Amino acid sequence: MLVTSFLAWIDRAAPKERAEATDLLARAYLNRTLGEETPEAAEAALTLVLDDPAKSVRRALACALADHWQAPRHIVLALAADQPEVGAPLLARSPVLQEADLIDLAAHAEPKALLAMALRPIVTERSAHAIVMRAERESCLALARNPHAQIGDGDLLAIAMQFGKDGKLRDALLERHHVPPAVRHQLMIALNDSLQSLAGEGGFLAADKNRRMVEEALLLGTISIATQARHHLPQFVRYLREQQKLTPGLLLRSVLGGDIALLTEALADLTGMTSGRVAGLMRGRSDATLLALFRRAGLPSFLEQPLIAAVRAAQELGAPEADGGLSLPVIRAAQSVCLSMEGGEEVRLLALLRRYEAEAARLQSRRLAEDLRAQAQSDFPQHRLTVERTHQLAVLGADDEVIDLAEKAVNPAEPALAAPAKDEIPDLRTVINEWQRERDSRLRAVFERPADPANGSAPFPEWDIRRNVA
């Protein structure tokens, strides 16, 4: 009698009462507690609810069916395509909706509906692709934060290129368990662009200096990403080439750090040869082979000989510098070749190498200073006079009096020296007042000086007074 009573009463009830009755009938259908009435009759009654004008009634039906496999498929599909407030529970949780259904719904869904699909417990790679293609910020953010969403590398890169300047999306992408090197590089470029705009438009740095700092930071960041992406280096090099970021300056900078892996993979990509074949040619001792390889890859002619010298020095070095640092032996090897070359490009290359040499020398000196400081700090406690040691010491004076050194010992729990006070910049009024007091004191000193008895005149003429006061 449940279905019959529902159909006879629902047209006269208020929306709130209709929503409660719809929820009751739907749960009775799912639990098979309909009594003498058949499931088909209950399903037909629930189908009529799809035409109910009240959104709350349709949402009550969607919430009742959201977590059940037994929900009628045609009702679930109709509710999922309804307004986002109605279909969101089904889009986010319903196991009835399959991958093909979600892809079809994502093509025309509203932003809130896309957000619900991105929050599903399991999001397949093709479903994620359909959501990413809509380029909606909130749904992409929810998708990136969903640890169970299977997002392809291409879709991650598309999100990074579309929303790389968004701090929340950037953090969400970097917190995922798998972030391809190309995505990291794109996020780095977006962050650099933001910082460059802030520093340039804010007037913190001159335009030329700002541009140079950004270029150097991008080179160092790209090399660092390439160093960490050994297993994905071919894909990363292909991405750099497609984005026109695989420049001769990048290859030279990586070799100057003692690492030739990026150069090897770049030559393989540019020449169409395998990575193993290129690595074997570079291990050979023939410079003519390397020269032919560079020319086939299309590297600039003025860079050929210095790059060959740098590669040979890096091979003798053994291990590259840590954190993308520069190697002095490799830089000097390339520099020695540039000294015998002439031309405008060669001169600029030599200037660049000299700047790199100064940077490497400064870094080497800083590392040595840090090592010496660490050693000094580790040795210093051995020579300190602590309270515990003074209890075992007694110094006898001339009168055989015991001098207690505990009072003069250094307590390790307390700092030996007080922290210096922070300098405060006085305001303009304070500076003017101090200057006036100093001027008045100098005037009084001039006028209070006794007169010269020889001539009985004033000690200073007026111009002398002005000169002394000034």
Side-chain angles (χ1 to χ4, degrees):
M1 296 295 294
L2 179 61
V3 175
T4 304
S5 301
F6 176 82
L7 294 175
W9 167 82
I10 195 169
D11 292 334
R12 302 188 303 272
K16 182 178 179 181
E17 297 173 345
R18 296 203 305 272
E20 294 175 354
T22 299
D23 178 75
L24 177 63
L25 179 60
R27 298 190 183 281
Y29 169 81
L30 295 172
N31 297 326
R32 295 297 188 264
T33 56
L34 295 171
E36 299 178 355
E37 295 176 311
T38 62
E40 290 77 9
E43 186 175 323
L46 293 176
T47 304
L48 294 178
V49 178
L50 298 177
D51 300 326
D52 195 292
K55 189 164 43 178
S56 59
V57 178
R58 304 197 303 274
R59 179 176 172 81
L61 179 58
C63 292
L65 302 178
D67 299 313
H68 296 275
W69 284 96
Q70 302 88 348
R73 177 176 171 78
H74 69 281
I75 297 179
V76 171
L77 287 175
L79 291 173
D82 205 329
Q83 299 181 21
E85 293 80 359
V86 175
L90 292 167
L91 293 173
R93 309 200 307 263
S94 177
V96 177
L97 295 175
Q98 301 300 311
E99 182 184 67
D101 302 324
L102 294 171
I103 293 175
D104 181 65
L105 289 169
H108 306 285
E110 297 183 25
K112 291 182 179 179
L114 286 174
L115 176 61
M117 283 187 270
L119 295 173
R120 288 180 67 85
I122 297 177
V123 182
T124 63
E125 185 171 339
R126 285 184 287 188
S127 299
H129 176 73
I131 297 173
V132 171
M133 287 299 100
R134 292 292 306 277
E136 292 288 343
R137 188 252 181 197
E138 295 299 330
S139 57
C140 288
L141 177 60
L143 196 65
R145 287 177 172 175
N146 188 347
H148 304 292
Q150 303 171 8
I151 311 176
D153 292 354
D155 293 326
L156 288 173
L157 182 59
I159 296 176
M161 297 179 70
Q162 182 76 21
F163 304 104
K165 295 183 179 181
D166 189 303
K168 292 183 178 180
L169 250 165
R170 211 166 40 232
D171 293 341
L173 289 175
L174 292 175
E175 289 173 0
R176 293 188 63 83
H177 66 281
H178 170 65
V179 184
V183 177
R184 293 183 180 274
H185 187 264
Q186 190 62 43
L187 294 176
M188 181 188 66
I189 292 176
L191 181 59
N192 265 284
D193 292 343
S194 300
L195 294 177
Q196 184 178 13
S197 301
L198 175 64
E201 296 175 1
F204 298 102
L205 293 174
D208 294 338
K209 187 175 182 179
N210 187 21
R211 189 184 311 109
R212 180 172 172 177
M213 291 179 61
V214 168
E215 290 176 355
E216 292 180 353
L218 285 176
L219 282 179
L220 186 59
T222 304
I223 293 171
S224 177
I225 293 174
T227 303
Q228 300 173 9
R230 293 302 186 190
H231 300 293
H232 304 279
L233 194 54
Q235 295 85 353
F236 184 52
V237 169
R238 189 181 310 114
Y239 155 79
L240 291 175
R241 176 175 55 80
E242 292 173 352
Q243 298 294 322
Q244 299 181 355
K245 303 294 184 182
L246 191 64
T247 61
L250 173 64
L251 300 179
L252 175 65
R253 177 61 179 78
S254 65
V255 176
L256 292 179
D259 190 2
I260 61 174
L262 181 60
L263 176 63
T264 302
E265 201 59 52
L267 291 175
D269 185 83
L270 293 172
T271 59
M273 304 170 65
T274 63
S275 302
R277 175 62 175 163
V278 173
L281 293 175
M282 294 186 68
R283 284 194 299 267
R285 305 308 301 174
S286 174
D287 292 347
T289 303
L290 279 183
L291 183 61
L293 191 62
F294 291 165
R295 290 179 177 176
R296 181 174 177 179
L299 296 182
S301 58
F302 71 90
L303 199 60
E304 293 171 352
Q305 294 301 328
L307 195 54
I308 291 175
V311 168
R312 297 307 183 197
Q315 290 173 338
E316 295 177 0
L317 189 64
E321 292 290 328
D323 301 328
L326 292 163
S327 173
L328 272 175
V330 178
I331 296 175
R332 288 168 179 167
Q335 206 173 44
S336 62
V337 176
C338 289
L339 293 175
S340 60
M341 300 171 62
E342 297 180 356
E345 296 293 341
E346 288 77 1
V347 172
R348 283 191 287 270
L349 176 60
L350 181 60
L352 178 64
L353 291 175
R354 286 179 175 173
R355 181 158 56 86
Y356 282 156
E357 182 185 20
E359 181 182 344
R362 185 169 61 252
L363 180 61
Q364 186 177 13
S365 299
R366 185 180 293 113
R367 288 176 178 173
L368 178 59
E370 292 295 335
D371 293 341
L372 292 176
R373 177 190 295 177
Q375 182 178 359
Q377 291 176 349
S378 62
D379 295 341
F380 181 70
Q382 300 177 5
H383 307 291
R384 296 183 65 184
L385 186 61
T386 60
V387 176
E388 290 79 4
R389 293 180 183 180
T390 57
H391 292 312
Q392 303 174 1
L393 299 176
V395 179
L396 298 179
D399 298 331
D400 293 337
E401 295 180 357
V402 176
I403 301 175
D404 188 6
L405 296 181
E407 298 179 356
K408 303 182 179 296
V410 178
N411 191 350
E414 299 179 357
L417 296 176
K422 184 178 179 181
D423 295 336
E424 296 183 357
I425 301 177
D427 55 51
L428 182 60
R429 176 57 59 186
T430 304
V431 174
I432 293 175
N433 292 337
E434 291 180 355
W435 174 80
Q436 289 176 344
R437 285 195 297 270
E438 182 181 357
R439 182 197 60 184
D440 295 342
S441 64
R442 296 170 77 178
L443 281 172
R444 284 193 300 270
V446 170
F447 286 109
E448 292 174 359
R449 182 172 178 177
D452 189 356
N455 50 21
S457 60
F460 289 102
E462 183 180 356
W463 66 270
D464 284 334
I465 294 176
R466 294 182 181 275
R467 180 183 61 189
N468 289 334
V469 173

